Structure formats: structure tokens, C-alpha cells
Amino acid sequence: MKNSLQDSLINIYPLLTSKITNSDSLFKIINIAEKLPNVNVISDVMFESNLTKGESTTDISIVFDKLNRHLIIDSFPSLLNLANKSNPWKKFESLIQKWIEEGSSVYNNVEHIWLEFDTGAKDDSGLEPSLFFYPLPSSSKYNKPFSNFARYEWIICDVIELLMDDCISMLTRQNLQKCFDLLPENSEVFDVGVMLPRVSESKLVRLCIRGIKTSEIIEYLYSIGWNGSIEEMCHLLNELSTLTDSILISISVGDDINSRIGLECYIDKKPQSIHRWQMFFDFMIKKKLCTFDQASEIMSWPGHMQEKSCQEVWPSNNSNILSNAVKISTRVINHVKIVYQPKLEAKAYLRLSHYSVEYDALQQEA
């Protein structure tokens, strides 16, 4: 019986080479994975490789999908012990309890929850998670008209106050409202988070925004009060837009809008996505955001496996799989984040997903 995430990552570790991660970071990933549930409960795993600092550190993130939320407590035997010893874990446990409480706003409006572990921490705080969640707008009839934020006010009282020990300031509330209300049409906040173990960021709310056109990013940042260099950001966006299909933005909100902005670069359109990633990494090498060797190792990440070729990757107690299904594991370059602060950094996000496909459908695709 395979009970931990560690059982599903055995064949993945060799792909996290020294150009992507160092031995200390890999040791922490293994340690974290041993404490987490298996891939029956965890939908996806993301490895975040910092390419610019020269330390070759890789953080790990995992996602719990709402379809499997009722399995989390029973499949996570060490959770209560972790919650008794650690404030971030206690907050996660409390959030999960809200998520499985039918009828609550968290139950109705949270699609998934991410845990992110910072393996670059110099102490054991790397074993404590930052929390992110995907919020849906409330459909409450009491929401005020003409205010996008009114549909998301539940976030503050039901989640953010929990994560911040009820210490969210009025200025932070006002800035959050501004960030929601001034969103361009067809854009949305798809992840909200708090970096709990990081003292410098534990009182900031991270918002990840998608659907915003590249041409609208500057105007949006200016409208919410960002005080970074508009000229530098314009130049950077112009360069990135020629190499990507979409750019998502990540901002940190507190009593002001943090000058540090994340530009998440995606290449979604097919075919030739690998070729286009190569062009993107060539750009990053010229910008000295990564080395040739780092780019080569990341480009070797994509691939897939079937259960029959590597059975130790899948847990044996996968009760949600159809009898005629084939279990597939895929590895993709999810995106690359360019961090403006104003000195540039680059981080590559390597995604590992497990899912099942009916055998007949697989045969038709072949």
C-alpha cells in the first residue's frame, strides 16, 4: 500500500538535476513528500526552479482539488500532529475543515487549494506551507451592485482573516477592493495566497490574475497604485509578448501595492510548443536570466509515462479509477515567471500530473 506522495515521485527525482536543484533542496523535497498524501488526493505537483540566483533551489507545490477534498483528512495521517506543532499547518487544517463543511462559503466557492513549500529556507520553515486557493465569486443576493469585489468579500472574513490571525489592516482591505474592482473585462483573480512562513510577506495577500491582455497590464498596475517604473515594465512586456501566448500577473497587496511584480509567461498553443519554449529560453540566456545548461535540463523535463511501464509511480489504493482506464503521468513546462523587482529574476515551473483515460479513448487518440 502506497500512502505518501514520496511513493509517486521516486522516478521523478533523477530529472531534478543539479542544474535545476541542489542536494539540500532535493533532500527537503523528499522530506516534505514523505509527509503528504499520495496522488489519489493530490491532483498535481509543481516544481519551481529558481534560475537566476545561482543556488539551484527548487520549491515544491501541491494542489488539492475540490473533488477529492473529503479524502484529505483521512489520507493525511500526520496532519493533526503537524497542526499541533506549526501555525501554518494549523491554519491549513482549519481551512480544510471549512472546505468540507457543506453549505459554507469556502465549501461553495473554493475550487482548489495549493500548498507551497520554500526549500530555500535556511531553517525548518521550508517544511511549513504557504497557502493559495482559487476563489469563485459568491452568488449571494446581498452583494452590492456594480462592485466586483462585493462578490469576493467572503474571501477576507472566511479565509484571509484566518490566515492572518484577524490582523488585516483597513488599508489592505481597501487595496484588495481596488484590485478586484478595477480588473479589466474578462480577467479574473484565479489564485489568492499568503506566504505564511516568510516573515516579510506574511501580512501581504498575493493575487494571481489571468485573462488580462498584455496591452492592459500597465494601465491596470497604474490604476491600483503600483509605483514601479512604467517605462521599464512596458519594455519588458513588449519583449515577452512576442514570445508567449499569454502573460498572467502576480501582485502582492498590503498597505500599498508591492513593487515586486511576477509576469507568468505561458506558451499554450500547439503544435511546436517545445520549439517555442526553446526560443523563450534563448531569450532568457541572452538576458542572463538562466544558463544554457539550466535551459537544456528544463527542456528535457516534458514527457509521459503509463502505469504499466512504471507501476511504482501510482498508489495501489486508487479507488477512483474506472476499471477500463489507463493511468497516465505527464510532465510539462507549465510556465516561466519573470519577476520584476526591478532587478529581474526567472523561475521555471515544472508540472507533474496524474490522471486516468479510458482505454478506448486512448486507442482512438493513437
Side-chain angles (χ1 to χ4, degrees), residues 59-313:
D59 297 340
I60 182 173
S61 301
I62 62 168
V63 61
F64 296 102
D65 186 88
K66 68 177 182 180
L67 295 176
N68 291 326
R69 58 186 159 188
H70 293 288
L71 302 174
I72 296 174
I73 299 295
D74 291 339
S75 302
F76 205 158
S78 62
L79 178 57
L80 292 180
N81 185 46
L82 289 167
N84 286 333
K85 298 178 180 178
S86 160
N87 198 34
W89 278 113
K90 182 177 179 60
K91 290 173 179 178
F92 171 69
E93 194 269 338
S94 298
L95 184 57
I96 293 300
Q97 294 292 351
K98 286 189 174 187
W99 203 24
I100 62 177
E101 180 187 340
E102 292 192 33
S104 71
S105 57
V106 176
Y107 179 89
N108 291 327
N109 301 318
V110 170
E111 285 287 285
H112 61 232
I113 293 175
W114 282 92
L115 296 183
E116 179 178 319
F117 299 89
D118 183 0
T119 68
K122 303 198 183 298
D123 52 27
D124 287 340
S125 64
L127 302 180
E128 296 183 326
S130 295
L131 270 67
F132 288 80
F133 62 99
Y134 176 13
L136 298 176
S138 170
S139 58
S140 170
K141 63 181 179 180
Y142 300 107
N143 283 337
K144 303 170 188 176
F146 313 118
S147 171
N148 190 40
F149 181 66
R151 301 181 301 153
Y152 289 93
E153 282 185 306
W154 65 269
I155 290 175
I156 290 183
C157 18
D158 291 335
V159 184
I160 299 299
E161 288 184 347
L162 165 68
L163 300 182
M164 291 188 167
D165 299 317
D166 298 323
C167 291
I168 182 169
S169 71
M170 184 56 67
L171 275 175
T172 300
R173 288 172 182 264
Q174 291 171 351
N175 282 328
L176 284 171
Q177 179 170 350
K178 190 187 304 181
C179 289
F180 277 89
D181 281 344
L182 296 177
L183 281 172
E185 187 177 4
N186 297 322
S187 61
E188 67 164 351
V189 173
F190 74 96
D191 263 329
V192 178
V194 179
M195 312 298 288
L196 295 173
R198 301 182 187 177
V199 175
S200 62
E201 296 185 59
S202 61
K203 298 304 178 185
L204 299 177
V205 181
R206 184 78 62 87
L207 301 181
C208 301
I209 300 167
R210 67 182 173 193
I212 185 168
K213 297 176 182 177
T214 306
S215 59
E216 298 172 328
I217 291 176
I218 293 294
E219 182 179 351
Y220 176 71
L221 291 176
Y222 181 77
S223 71
I224 62 175
W226 182 68
N227 59 6
S229 170
I230 297 295
E231 182 179 354
E232 289 180 357
M233 182 61 73
C234 275
H235 179 69
L236 179 59
L237 286 169
N238 286 338
E239 289 184 300
L240 295 175
S241 63
T242 63
L243 297 165
T244 60
D245 295 320
S246 60
I247 299 175
L248 287 59
I249 63 172
S250 172
I251 59 178
S252 296
V253 182
D255 289 350
D256 56 17
I257 305 299
N258 196 284
S259 60
R260 180 184 173 99
I261 300 292
L263 303 174
E264 300 186 3
C265 302
Y266 286 78
I267 295 176
D268 303 318
K269 295 177 182 176
K270 297 179 180 180
Q272 297 183 330
S273 60
I274 292 297
H275 173 68
R276 294 181 62 206
W277 274 123
Q278 184 66 65
M279 294 174 61
F280 188 90
F281 280 105
D282 288 344
F283 162 81
M284 295 222 299
I285 293 168
K286 290 179 183 178
K287 286 282 189 181
K288 301 189 184 309
L289 293 174
C290 74
T291 67
F292 176 84
D293 289 342
Q294 286 174 320
S296 298
E297 296 297 336
I298 289 169
M299 290 294 294
S300 68
W301 171 261
H304 69 276
M305 294 182 292
Q306 288 190 32
E307 179 190 23
K308 64 183 181 181
S309 64
C310 195
Q311 294 189 9
E312 64 269 29
V313 170

